[in-house]
Amino acid sequence: MGYYDQDYENRYKKPKGNKGGYVLASLVGVILGALLVAVAFPRLMDNNLIPGNSAPAEEATENRNAVETRNVAVNVETDITKAVDKAADAVVGISNIQGTGFWEGSNGEEAGTGSGVIYKKEGGKAYVVTNHHVVEGASSLEISLTDGTKIPATLRGSDVWTDLAVLEVDGSKIETIAEFGDSDALRTGEPVIAIGNPLGAIFSGSVTQGIISGLERAIPVDIDQNGIVDWQAEVLQTDAAINPGNSGGALINIAGQVIGINSMKIAESAVEGIGLAIPINSAIPIIEDLEKLGKVNRPYMGIELQSVNEIPSYYQKEALKLPEDVTNGVAVMRVEPNSPASQAGLKELDVIVDLDGEKVNDTIELRKHLYTKKNVGESLKVKFYREGKLQETTMKLAGNTL
């Protein structure tokens, strides 16, 4: 009698009908293995874990990190470069040539250099504005264009009070004219650019950048170098570098417009970055007078003055006879014959304290009122002390210089 083990049959019985599944599984395994070898094989060779003809690890790394290099030209154009391109060719160098005499063997030598701005071209002539101190004492003048061309210049007029001067040159070689902006519209912190020739021709056309550091700065000026302040120049303050030779050059805004004529810097060991420029709105009427008349047509009184606060208190009482509460004003030291002051009855030792209803404390305030608020031919009301008594007169202003 035979024995039938059902479990044995179930355990060892061959499966039927599933051959496709084994083939698919085998195919997937082959593909995955191939991918694994493709990824791992180069890294194993790079690290010398298996033999091969691959380059050393260092060379392989260099090859992977190698980057093609080439020169690249970058077109850098900004508002600043545009502004400089617009104005730079209108800024010229100025040579102040002073004669040394025939016996010295030379007709003249360059006594100093500065900068100037070409602002007008008309009738075959071109006109350049610069500083008075740049051209002072010159026996002849010469301008240098940006391309090195030198052109003789003639002085049309110069004004010591505003430190401005105007030159005339042949305009046949002049191509670029500066555009004036509006200095009254400037704001503190606004970017500006100074263009000029610091230290002479070697640094011609130098460009420095800064900002407007201050507006309407009042700077004391000693015109006659006697140690007494004669005038207060109202200027723009900038931190754009201004050095000797920059004087008379252009201070431009970001639109390339001239908004100031570079004039001076504060040169003290403890001070850095304080440059000063004449506002173009203040300069324009002076430039026009110098170009057309050769001088500034200012009203004048015809008197020699001294501030009361510069006179010892003893003489204020004994000579001027001033009341004790009057410590300011302008003393008349001398009256020119037939002058407006003489015709109005002013005399020596009179003390002017009021002009047109405005209090006058010193000679600077008197000149400011006269030069900025009055015109030639106008009437001026004057209050003054004589022998301790307050009096009043009216004078008709003539045209000349105080």
Side-chain angles (χ1 to χ4, degrees):
M1 181 175 177
Y3 177 82
Y4 177 75
D5 187 345
Q6 183 67 40
D7 291 336
Y8 176 88
E9 184 177 350
N10 290 338
R11 288 197 301 269
Y12 298 103
K13 188 177 181 181
K14 293 184 179 179
K16 298 179 180 180
N18 197 25
K19 292 182 179 180
Y22 281 107
V23 172
L24 180 59
S26 299
L27 181 60
V28 171
V30 170
I31 293 173
L32 290 176
L35 290 174
L36 181 60
V37 170
V39 172
F41 189 77
R43 294 185 177 274
L44 293 172
M45 291 182 65
D46 288 346
N47 290 291
N48 296 322
L49 296 177
I50 60 175
N53 294 324
S54 64
E58 291 80 2
E59 292 184 22
T61 302
E62 289 179 3
N63 291 334
R64 288 198 304 273
N65 294 335
V67 178
E68 181 182 358
T69 60
R70 59 185 176 182
N71 293 329
V72 178
V74 179
N75 182 20
V76 178
E77 185 175 72
T78 67
D79 289 339
I80 293 175
T81 60
K82 291 178 182 178
V84 172
D85 288 343
K86 179 178 179 179
D89 286 345
V91 180
V92 300
I94 296 179
S95 296
N96 179 326
I97 302 170
Q98 298 185 8
T100 58
F102 174 79
W103 297 111
E104 279 74 17
S106 172
N107 292 326
E109 60 181 10
E110 187 175 84
T113 60
S115 304
V117 180
I118 305 170
Y119 68 91
K120 181 179 180 180
K121 184 177 178 181
E122 183 179 85
K125 300 291 185 181
Y127 299 90
V128 180
V129 59
T130 185
N131 288 145
H132 165 81
H133 74 262
V134 169
V135 301
E136 187 176 15
S139 56
S140 62
L141 295 160
E142 187 177 72
I143 72 166
S144 301
L145 305 183
T146 53
D147 63 0
T149 301
K150 295 183 182 297
I151 306 175
T154 302
L155 180 64
R156 292 282 296 185
S158 188
D159 181 54
V160 66
W161 296 99
T162 56
D163 195 25
L164 289 171
V166 170
L167 310 181
E168 178 186 294
V169 299
D170 178 13
S172 60
K173 297 181 179 179
I174 304 298
E175 297 181 356
T176 304
I177 307 300
E179 177 186 346
F180 287 163
D182 182 5
S183 57
D184 290 340
L186 291 172
R187 300 175 61 186
T188 302
E190 179 176 339
V192 288
I193 304 156
I195 307 177
N197 301 322
L199 307 181
I202 190 172
F203 294 114
S204 63
S206 290
V207 176
T208 55
Q209 180 191 3
I211 61 171
I212 292 293
S213 305
L215 302 168
E216 298 180 354
R217 300 298 198 205
I219 304 299
V221 179
D222 179 8
I223 299 294
D224 51 14
Q225 301 296 312
N226 65 352
I228 299 175
V229 175
D230 301 298
W231 184 248
Q232 281 190 331
E234 291 187 0
V235 294
L236 304 171
Q237 178 190 341
T238 178
D239 65 348
I242 295 177
N243 294 291
N246 272 118
S247 295
L251 188 69
I252 65 174
N253 60 16
I254 206 69
Q257 300 170 323
V258 178
I259 46 82
I261 303 299
N262 298 326
S263 181
M264 63 187 99
K265 65 178 290 186
I266 296 179
E268 296 180 9
S269 58
V271 177
E272 185 175 347
I274 299 183
L276 305 172
I278 303 165
I280 200 62
N281 287 16
S282 300
I284 287 174
I286 307 300
I287 293 171
E288 291 174 348
D289 273 358
L290 293 176
E291 179 191 325
K292 296 174 182 177
L293 305 174
K295 64 178 183 180
V296 179
N297 195 24
R298 292 190 180 93
Y300 100 116
M301 300 169 69
I303 54 179
E304 187 176 338
L305 309 172
Q306 185 173 3
S307 298
V308 169
N309 56 25
E310 297 171 355
I311 299 173
S313 58
Y314 174 82
Y315 293 105
Q316 291 181 20
K317 295 179 181 179
E318 297 299 322
L320 302 178
K321 309 293 185 184
L322 289 174
E324 291 186 0
D325 60 341
V326 178
T327 57
N328 291 303
V330 178
V332 178
M333 300 174 63
R334 186 177 69 87
V335 179
E336 295 180 10
N338 301 317
S339 66
S342 175
Q343 294 173 7
L346 287 178
K347 297 180 179 180
E348 183 181 346
L349 299 182
D350 288 345
V351 177
I352 299 171
V353 293
D354 188 287
L355 296 177
D356 292 327
E358 293 185 8
K359 188 177 179 181
V360 174
N361 291 308
D362 51 35
T363 57
I364 294 175
E365 290 186 3
L366 185 145
R367 290 189 178 108
K368 282 288 184 182
H369 184 91
L370 196 64
Y371 293 170
T372 62
K373 298 183 179 180
K374 308 300 292 188
N375 296 313
V376 175
E378 291 183 345
S379 295
L380 177 68
K381 293 182 179 180
V382 182
K383 289 183 180 180
F384 61 97
Y385 279 96
R386 177 182 293 169
E387 297 290 334
K389 295 181 180 180
L390 186 63
Q391 301 185 36
E392 184 174 340
T393 187
T394 300
M395 71 174 68
K396 187 175 183 180
L397 297 169
N400 206 319
T401 302
L402 181 64

